[in-house]
Each structure stands twice: as structure tokens, then as C-alpha cells.
Amino acid sequence: MRLFVAAELPEAVLDALVETQAALRDAVRGRYVAPDSLHLTLAFLGEVPAARVDEVASALELVCAGQAPFEVHLGTLGSFGRRRSAVLWQSVEGGSALSSLAASVRRELENATFSFDEKPFLAHVTLMRAADLTHGELPMPQMARGVLDTVTLFKSDLTGPRPIYEPLHTVTLGER
Ligand code: ATP
Ligand code: MG
């Protein structure tokens, strides 16, 4: 199954992201990520045998017990890919706590002999895909802050008209 590990975002941050999407609707054509699918990917594992899900879950338990919840806030808009069909995202700022969370998740997955996408971690929440950025100006994004305390292992199902992310295992930072 296709797996990824993501941080779940505080309510105030999610609300702001949805507001940013609403402001974008007038300016940019593309496919919007559904509000209940907005997330911050920490590590993308790709295909993993179903029998190894428990091992991934244990790795996450190990990491998250060792890190306390911390504050994050939203930043700027950015994009990946071609201007005519881009991935449009909003950055998330969480200082060294966020980068060290991503690094320890990745290190623990590596220790458990999983492989994952090794692109350097760039903390962002995808808002739109296939976004046409060739005309119009981007609006100012909404800002918000909140406490990040939840990391989830998701299964991604891409067989339907839109991706479906199913939570398989959720851990709370600073708890065992
Ligand atoms: P679709 O691929 O249909 O546009 P999606 O990208 O949301 O949907 P997945 O491809 O399963 O669904 O990706 C799940 C999460 O992992 C998303 O946050 C995505 O940005 C991220 N992701 C996917 N592929 C990679 C990769 N190669 N490297 C890093 N992150 C990735
Ligand atoms: Mg994808």
C-alpha cells in the first residue's frame, strides 16, 4: 500500500488554509485539495507491504514519545513544477522543532530499513494541484498559528477521482 507520514495541523491553521484556498478561487484555476485532506507531509514512503504497517507505526511511536508539542505558524505561498500546471502550497514555519521532528521520523524509518523520498524537507501544505499560474496575481495568504501535536501514518488511495487518505495510526507528541 502507498504510505506517507504527515503532521496534522491545528484547527486555527486549517481554517486559515481553507480561507487562503477561498481567496485563490478567484485568481487561480486548478484542483483544490479537500479541506479534510490538508496535511503537512513529513516523509513519503510510497509502496510498503501491508504486513509492515505495524513496524512503521512502532517507529512513529518511538519518535513521537521523545518530542514535545510545539508551535507552528503559516508562511508564504510557493509552487513546484510548471507554471501552467503547478502544485501550489503554503509554507509552515516551526523552527528547529519542526525540522527535527521530520529528521527524527526519517531517521527512525531508516533504522527500521524503510526507504522514503529523500528530497530535503520543505515544510508545506499543498493547497492546489494542476494550478494555472500563468495569469493573474496570487492573493495574500491567511496567517495563523497553533500547537502541532499529532503525527499520523496515512494510506493514500489514488484509484478514485480524487486522492483518499486513510489514517492508519495516529500518535500524539510527548505521549507514550
Ligand atoms: P496525486 O498524486 O493524485 O496528486 P497526492 O499527491 O495527494 O495525490 P500521493 O501522491 O499519495 O497523493 O502523496 C501523498 C502525500 O505525499 C502528499 O502530501 C504528497 O505531496 C506527498 N508526496 C507524494 N510523492 C512524494 C515524493 N516523491 N516525495 C515527497 N513527497 C511526496
Ligand atoms: Mg502525488
Side-chain angles (χ1 to χ4, degrees):
M1 52 183 72
R2 187 178 176 94
L3 300 183
F4 66 100
V5 176
E8 297 197 48
L9 295 157
E11 207 58 40
V13 168
L14 281 177
D15 290 348
L17 289 164
V18 170
E19 280 182 46
T20 300
Q21 284 183 317
L24 281 165
R25 259 173 226 281
D26 303 325
V28 185
R29 273 170 201 274
R31 268 190 293 125
Y32 286 86
V33 175
D36 62 356
S37 291
L38 295 166
H39 63 271
L40 168 56
T41 300
L42 299 173
F44 178 77
L45 289 140
E47 284 301 320
V48 170
R52 296 198 71 191
V53 166
D54 286 352
E55 283 176 70
V56 182
S58 309
L60 292 184
E61 294 282 347
L62 209 61
V63 169
C64 295
Q67 183 157 350
F70 56 92
E71 189 163 282
V72 294
H73 63 90
L74 287 171
T76 55
L77 292 179
S79 66
F80 297 138
R82 293 165 293 145
R83 281 182 34 84
R84 199 167 288 283
S85 182
V87 169
L88 186 63
W89 45 262
Q90 188 164 359
S91 69
V92 178
E93 317 284 337
S96 58
L98 180 54
S99 40
S100 91
L101 175 63
S104 20
V105 166
R106 290 166 178 223
R107 188 180 331 110
E108 214 44 59
L109 290 174
E110 217 161 39
N111 288 345
T113 71
F114 289 100
S115 52
F116 48 86
D117 186 88
E118 289 180 12
K119 282 196 292 291
F121 176 61
L122 194 159
H124 69 278
V125 181
T126 297
L127 299 176
M128 286 182 79
R129 297 174 191 282
D132 183 354
L133 305 178
T134 53
H135 38 74
E137 254 181 57
L138 293 180
M140 288 293 289
Q142 284 294 316
M143 297 297 166
R145 58 179 65 243
V147 173
L148 190 157
D149 64 0
T150 309
V151 173
T152 296
L153 172 63
F154 284 99
K155 172 184 170 185
S156 173
D157 178 357
L158 301 182
T159 54
R162 51 174 61 235
I164 295 172
Y165 309 135
E166 182 194 336
L168 297 181
H169 188 78
T170 292
V171 294
T172 304
L173 296 186
E175 280 182 12
R176 232 169 241 286

